[in-house]
């Protein structure tokens, strides 16, 4: 059985995500976050260690999405 943990995001971001995923195959904010995190982890595992530039790019994307301040 899979264990889960909770990740908190600001309510305004959750509302924006809900609007964004409307009409897509994602049924919830959690689905989208799992997909994004898996994508990052899979890319990291394929390419090995992240370079500083790749880390900065991912951080920038997460910041644009509102996950980081």
């Amino acid at each position: 059985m899979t264990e889960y943990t909770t990740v908190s995001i600001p309510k305004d971001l959750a509302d924006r995500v809900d609007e964004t995923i409307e009409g897509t195959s994602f049924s919830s904010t959690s689905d989208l976050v799992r997909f994004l995190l898996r994508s990052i982890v899979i890319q990291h595992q394929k390419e090995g260690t992240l370079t500083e530039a790749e880390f900065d790019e991912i951080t920038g994307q997460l910041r644009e999405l509102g996950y980081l301040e």
Side-chain angles (χ1 to χ4, degrees):
M1 185 157 117
T2 302
E3 292 184 46
Y4 291 89
T5 189
T6 301
V7 175
S8 298
I9 60 172
K11 177 74 170 107
D12 63 323
L13 176 58
D15 293 341
R16 289 179 20 215
V17 170
D18 286 342
E19 292 172 9
T20 302
I21 64 173
E22 196 170 302
T24 70
S25 61
F26 298 107
S27 60
S28 67
T29 300
S30 293
D31 284 348
L32 177 61
V33 170
R34 277 191 296 272
F35 172 79
L36 292 171
L37 291 175
R38 277 189 193 115
S39 296
I40 291 168
V41 169
I42 288 168
Q43 182 171 352
H44 170 69
Q45 289 173 335
K46 283 181 181 176
E47 296 175 2
T49 305
L50 288 174
T51 66
E52 186 70 28
E54 291 167 330
F55 180 80
D56 290 344
E57 180 181 347
I58 291 168
T59 302
Q61 291 172 351
L62 292 172
R63 187 172 286 111
E64 288 175 14
L65 290 169
Y67 288 104
L68 302 174
E69 291 182 7

